[in-house]
């Protein structure tokens, strides 16, 4: 097992090298950043000075090497726009996105798995057809459309939830992790907790829809496959109550594909976060990176995209490792 | 080597049972598809939408005040009567008007044509790239496989929306407008098609690779090789046609994905610019009018939802229908 984890970790390196190189090369291909920094009408001398300062005239591989070397030393560079270290901006925006993504994934698992079990264990029933149909709608849902509808209906018309931001302006909260929900629980700050929960509800709902649908679909089809197996018939034949057959015998074995889907959905969750953050003015990484792309703020884009990629890699690494725990027959060799 | 014998033999061998057997794989697939209630529902929905964006053209006419004359067709969709901007839905403008006074109904019709064009073309690019890269990796194996698959993984790891935004922001409006089937289209349309295609082929490449890996060890491939068939002939004539099922399913779902991607990029304000309407760029800026003019985003958004829904229903049906081991009838 340990050996497998190590080998799996080693396999991550080529992908990380690939990702850093891709983000690096992609941005170089998009043109000259000096006009963004010094303005369209900057003199050639000023541009040359900036190019010199940033080392943009060196060979590609030298620039890439320097980029990686700085990363390894923990130097993430400076934002071209604000001139502040990328690291400090990252510390500000990263927790907001993580909080939103975790809340959405939590909702998706909480709703998707029970729905999938219910639908799969009552194959072809009314609830099964309803779930299948609903899940297909969920999978097809344009996230901005859903977000706008939620915002319009529950935020503006019914006025049930706040529409923009992470927490009420009138709430005092001592930040530790910058995950507002966690911070307010740690400090026992009830007003801050309710405020943070109210602010996160709509964006988390919008972001959770697609993963919920995928998880419900996958759980359903895995349950249907497994409930048709011989050992399930045996369990029923020996007189086990159906509830235990479904939850203990079937579900545990249906978890493997479900966990895979959860891992893969992280990718679309992160992409969805970009749109959700735009709609709900959520001060997270998605908006930070999109704004940086528009402003040709290369250091921010490079680090931002790299962080998203690393999250995706880490989650899928965890998924791979969890296979052995979920199914002891999975051998790592 | 083009040996006439090798061209006729396999096709005959395949064609024979297809024409004579009462239930060919194709017929079985069609039968399974028709029994798939949701797929048939999706197909119906898509046909209605296609009728809307094609026959709707006939209804697209009205009096354009700035031009002081009755106009029809796309001219009506592009007629901006600023005196009538941000009108709520009414008898004259059933879906209301946009920020510069254009008729939203007409724009959803013409925009729908472009969105569908973008969807189909981008899916085509996706299938082309995915099939090619997947087949190359599997067929040649070794370092070719290694490099191509690591590249695929790296591409998969970066959220494709970022790649899309970066691509369309920097290459978005570099191409001049061009003429297509008698219509003037913004150059950004081609750019967005290529970018969506280039950022969505990865899953397909992996599926094709897995299929080809198992196919290339089959006896009929060895036979083809023994007959002196070239690598490209084996890949394009013997291997890829046998992975047609996932290709068809991916292409179908790819259309939905491309329409969504275009809308996402446009929603962020980085999509096709200019007069050419797409469902996506009708949403650009609609965010500012969230409360004051919900018709701006409601109608194009709903059309996108219905189209994607219809395609996904059909794609699901196709997946079940084309799977030879499928016994599901639903």
């Amino acid at each position: 097992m340990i050996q497998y984890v190590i080998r799996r970790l080693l396999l991550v390196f080529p992908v990380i090298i690939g990702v850093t190189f891709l983000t690096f090369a992609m941005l170089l291909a998009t043109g000259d950043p000096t006009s963004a920094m010094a303005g369209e009408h900057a003199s050639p001398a000023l541009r040359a000075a900036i190019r010199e300062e940033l080392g943009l005239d060196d060979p590609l591989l030298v620039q890439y090497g320097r980029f990686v070397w700085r990363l390894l030393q923990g130097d993430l560079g400076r934002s071209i726009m604000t001139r502040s270290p990328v690291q400090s901006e990252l510390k500000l925006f990263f927790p907001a996105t993580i909080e939103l993504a975790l809340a959405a994934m939590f909702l998706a698992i909480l709703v998707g798995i029970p729905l999938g079990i219910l639908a799969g264990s009552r194959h072809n029933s009314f609830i099964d057809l309803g779930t299948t149909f609903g899940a297909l709608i969920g999978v097809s849902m344009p996230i901005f459309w859903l977000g706008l509808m939620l915002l319009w209906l529950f935020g503006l018309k019914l006025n049930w939830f706040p529409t923009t931001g992470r927490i009420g302006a009138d709430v005092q909260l001592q930040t530790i992790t910058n995950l507002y929900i966690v911070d307010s629980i740690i400090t026992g700050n009830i007003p801050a907790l309710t405020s943070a929960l109210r602010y996160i509800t709509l964006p988390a709902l919008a972001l959770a829809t697609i993963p919920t649908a995928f998880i419900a679909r996958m759980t359903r089809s895995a349950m249907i496959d497994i409930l048709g197996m011989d050992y399930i018939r045996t369990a029923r034949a020996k007189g086990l109550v159906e509830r235990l057959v479904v939850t203990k015998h079937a579900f545990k074995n249906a978890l493997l594909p479900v966990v895979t889907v959860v891992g893969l959905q992280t990718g679309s969750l992160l992409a969805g976060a970009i749109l959700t953050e735009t709609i709900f003015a959520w001060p997270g990484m998605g908006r930070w990176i999109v704004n940086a792309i528009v402003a040709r703020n290369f250091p921010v884009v490079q680090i931002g995209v790299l962080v998203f990629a690393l999250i995706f890699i880490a989650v899928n690494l965890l998924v791979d490792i969890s296979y052995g725990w979920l199914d002891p027959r999975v051998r790592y060799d | 080597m083009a040996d006439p014998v090798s061209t006729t033999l396999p096709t005959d061998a395949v064609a024979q049972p297809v024409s004579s057997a009462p239930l060919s794989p194709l017929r079985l697939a069609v039968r399974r598809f028709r029994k798939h209630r949701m797929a048939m529902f999706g197909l119906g929905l898509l046909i209605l939408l296609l009728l809307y964006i094609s026959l709707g053209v006939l209804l697209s006419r009205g009096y354009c005040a700035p031009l002081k004359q009755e106009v029809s067709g796309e001219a009506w969709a592009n007629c901006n009567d600023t005196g009538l901007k941000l009108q709520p839905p009414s008898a004259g403008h059933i879906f209301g008007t946009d920020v510069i006074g254009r008729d939203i109904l007409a724009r959803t019709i013409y925009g729908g044509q472009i969105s569908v064009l973008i969807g189909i073309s981008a899916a085509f690019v996706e299938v082309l790239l995915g099939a090619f890269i997947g087949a190359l990796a599997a067929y040649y194996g070794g370092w070719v496989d290694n490099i191509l698959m690591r590249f695929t993984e790296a591409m998969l790891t970066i959220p494709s929306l970022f790649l899309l935004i970066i691509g369309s922001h920097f290459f978005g409006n570099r191409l001049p407008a061009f003429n297509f089937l008698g219509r003037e289209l913004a150059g950004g349309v081609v750019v967005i098609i290529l970018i969506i295609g280039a950022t969505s082929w990865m899953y397909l490449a992996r599926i094709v690779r897995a299929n080809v890996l198992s196919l290339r060890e089959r006896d009929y491939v060895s036979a083809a090789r023994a007959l002196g068939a070239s690598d490209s002939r084996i890949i394009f004539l013997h291997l890829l046609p046998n992975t047609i099922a996932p290709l068809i399913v991916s292409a179908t779902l790819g259309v939905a994905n491309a329409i969504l991607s275009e809308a996402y990029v446009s929603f962020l304000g980085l999509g096709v610019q200019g007069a050419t309407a797409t469902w996506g760029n009708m949403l650009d800026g609609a965010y500012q009018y969230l409360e004051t003019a919900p018709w701006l985003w409601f109608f194009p958004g709903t059309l996108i939802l219905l189209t994607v829904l219809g395609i996904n229903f059909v794609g699901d049906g196709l997946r079940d229908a084309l799977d030879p081991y499928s016994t599901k009838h639903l």
Side-chain angles (χ1 to χ4, degrees):
Chain A
M1 178 78 185
I2 305 261
Q3 218 183 358
Y4 168 77
V5 174
I6 293 171
R7 201 158 346 127
R8 187 65 186 68
L9 272 172
L10 286 177
L11 267 178
V12 162
F13 282 104
V15 177
I16 292 180
I17 292 173
V19 169
T20 49
F21 193 75
L22 264 182
T23 49
F24 174 78
M26 196 166 53
L27 290 173
L28 279 186
T30 58
D32 192 354
T34 55
S35 58
M37 295 170 65
E40 292 287 338
H41 308 292
S43 67
L46 180 60
R47 289 192 180 204
I50 296 173
R51 294 185 66 82
E52 176 72 38
E53 188 196 326
L54 295 177
L56 292 174
D57 293 322
D58 291 335
L60 200 71
L61 274 176
V62 173
Q63 288 191 49
Y64 176 66
R66 196 163 47 213
F67 170 63
V68 173
W69 181 240
R70 281 197 195 137
L71 278 185
L72 289 176
Q73 291 173 318
D75 174 11
L76 306 186
R78 277 175 183 278
S79 160
I80 292 181
M81 292 299 134
T82 61
R83 282 273 144 205
S84 58
V86 173
Q87 207 162 354
S88 60
E89 292 191 358
L90 187 66
K91 267 186 198 146
L92 213 63
F93 298 122
F94 182 71
T97 296
I98 290 299
E99 186 169 39
L100 181 59
L102 282 179
M105 200 37 114
F106 178 73
L107 266 179
I109 292 172
L110 202 71
V111 177
I113 288 184
L115 260 186
I117 294 178
L118 218 60
S121 57
R122 300 200 172 97
H123 190 28
N124 279 334
S125 68
F126 181 69
I127 192 163
D128 180 29
L129 288 177
T131 304
T132 319
F133 194 76
L136 257 175
I137 294 182
V139 170
S140 317
M141 188 64 78
I143 199 164
F144 59 82
W145 191 86
L146 182 70
L148 290 174
M149 283 300 271
L150 288 172
L151 189 57
W152 182 73
L153 186 64
F154 295 109
L156 298 170
K157 290 289 150 193
L158 297 171
N159 220 348
W160 288 357
F161 294 101
T163 54
T164 53
R166 285 180 73 188
I167 197 161
D170 50 339
V171 178
Q172 296 291 322
L173 176 65
Q174 183 197 351
T175 53
I176 302 160
T177 57
N178 258 326
L179 301 168
Y180 288 177
I181 294 177
V182 176
D183 284 349
S184 53
I185 292 175
I186 294 175
T187 55
N189 191 340
I190 301 295
L193 180 63
T194 44
S195 177
L197 284 176
R198 273 168 51 83
Y199 272 85
I200 207 172
T201 305
L202 290 183
L205 269 180
L207 190 53
T209 308
I210 295 174
T212 309
F214 270 107
I215 291 172
R217 259 161 72 116
M218 191 42 99
T219 312
R220 171 185 172 271
S221 69
M223 286 298 285
I224 290 174
D225 283 351
I226 283 173
L227 284 172
M229 287 190 170
D230 288 344
Y231 78 93
I232 295 291
R233 198 174 48 201
T234 310
R236 282 180 180 148
K238 76 182 186 190
L240 209 61
V241 284
E242 186 64 17
R243 186 176 53 85
L244 282 181
V245 174
V246 170
T247 54
K248 264 190 102 173
H249 288 63
F251 176 61
K252 217 180 154 212
N253 286 298
L255 257 179
L256 214 63
V258 175
V259 169
T260 312
V261 170
V262 171
L264 287 175
Q265 278 301 304
T266 325
S268 72
L269 201 68
L270 295 175
I274 305 168
L275 294 155
T276 317
E277 287 174 7
T278 308
I279 296 169
F280 293 95
W282 189 264
M285 281 181 68
R287 287 212 309 164
W288 181 52
I289 300 174
V290 171
N291 290 340
I293 292 173
V294 175
R296 298 194 174 208
N297 195 344
F298 285 12
V300 169
V301 180
Q302 277 170 335
I303 299 302
V305 172
L306 190 60
V307 169
F308 268 68
L310 288 179
I311 297 173
F312 185 75
I313 291 174
V315 170
N316 282 291
L317 186 67
L318 282 177
V319 165
D320 270 13
I321 293 171
S322 72
Y323 286 165
W325 174 71
L326 287 170
D327 184 352
R329 284 171 306 179
V330 174
R331 306 290 326 163
Y332 300 117
D333 39 37
Chain B
M1 248 194 272
D3 185 347
V5 178
S6 66
T7 51
T8 50
L9 257 181
T11 33
D12 277 354
V14 174
Q16 215 64 49
V18 169
S19 52
S20 61
L23 280 178
S24 67
L26 181 67
R27 278 209 191 159
L28 262 176
V30 171
R31 174 179 284 197
R32 274 196 295 254
F33 185 80
R34 293 183 55 169
K35 278 191 181 164
H36 203 293
R37 261 180 287 163
M38 287 199 201
M40 292 309 285
F41 169 76
L43 196 62
L45 193 61
L46 284 185
I47 291 172
L48 284 179
L49 282 160
L50 286 178
L51 287 177
Y52 175 74
I53 61 170
S54 52
L55 296 183
V57 172
L58 301 173
L59 298 171
S60 169
R61 57 177 70 250
Y63 179 74
C64 184
L67 297 174
K68 294 196 173 61
Q69 60 175 338
E70 194 80 18
V71 291
S72 63
E74 203 178 4
W76 173 238
N78 286 333
C79 165
N80 52 322
D81 184 352
T82 41
L84 285 174
K85 67 179 180 187
L86 292 174
Q87 294 287 309
S90 64
H93 300 278
I94 299 173
F95 287 177
T97 60
D98 69 4
V99 277
I100 55 170
R102 294 175 296 197
D103 182 56
I104 290 185
L105 175 69
R107 288 185 77 73
T108 56
I109 292 166
Y110 283 94
Q113 294 175 358
I114 305 297
S115 282
V116 170
L117 174 76
I118 290 176
I120 292 173
S121 319
F124 184 72
V125 175
E126 172 196 343
V127 168
L128 225 57
L129 279 172
F132 189 67
I133 291 176
L136 273 190
Y139 186 77
Y140 289 106
W143 63 269
V144 178
D145 185 28
N146 245 319
I147 289 180
L148 286 177
M149 283 304 110
R150 291 300 86 73
F151 177 62
T152 307
E153 271 164 41
M155 287 284 289
L156 267 179
T157 306
I158 301 173
S160 56
L161 192 53
F162 282 133
L163 298 175
L164 271 173
I165 297 170
I166 292 173
S168 54
H169 180 59
F170 291 104
F171 306 112
N173 294 296
R174 291 201 182 166
L175 284 182
F178 65 100
N179 217 304
F180 178 74
L181 295 177
R183 286 188 65 184
E184 177 94 351
L185 296 184
V189 173
V190 175
V191 176
I192 204 111
I193 287 170
L194 293 178
I195 292 173
I196 293 174
T199 51
S200 57
W201 51 269
M202 289 83 78
Y203 281 109
L204 181 62
R206 287 175 129 183
I207 298 171
V208 169
R209 174 178 173 271
N211 269 338
V212 170
L213 269 184
S214 76
L215 285 174
R216 68 167 191 181
E217 305 302 331
R218 301 275 177 91
D219 289 341
Y220 80 95
V221 177
S222 312
R225 203 172 290 133
L227 282 168
S230 64
D231 283 357
S232 65
R233 187 182 170 80
I234 292 175
I235 291 175
F236 290 108
L237 254 99
H238 296 301
L239 295 174
L240 281 179
N242 279 299
T243 61
I244 195 77
L247 288 182
I248 290 176
V249 174
S250 294
T252 313
L253 299 177
V255 175
N257 176 51
I259 291 177
L260 269 182
S261 298
E262 189 266 327
Y264 286 165
V265 173
S266 293
F267 180 74
L268 294 169
L270 299 165
V272 177
Q273 310 284 324
T276 307
T278 71
W279 283 341
N281 73 10
M282 293 180 70
L283 295 160
D284 182 7
Y287 177 67
Q288 279 94 327
Y289 300 93
L290 178 66
E291 193 176 12
T292 49
W295 58 89
L296 278 186
W297 51 268
F298 181 79
F299 294 109
T302 306
L303 284 166
I304 293 171
L305 170 64
L306 291 177
T307 309
V308 173
L309 194 65
I311 295 172
N312 280 346
F313 277 133
V314 169
D316 244 38
L318 280 177
R319 195 197 323 258
D320 290 346
L322 292 173
D323 178 2
Y325 303 107
S326 163
T327 49
K328 274 188 281 183
H329 292 296
L330 269 167

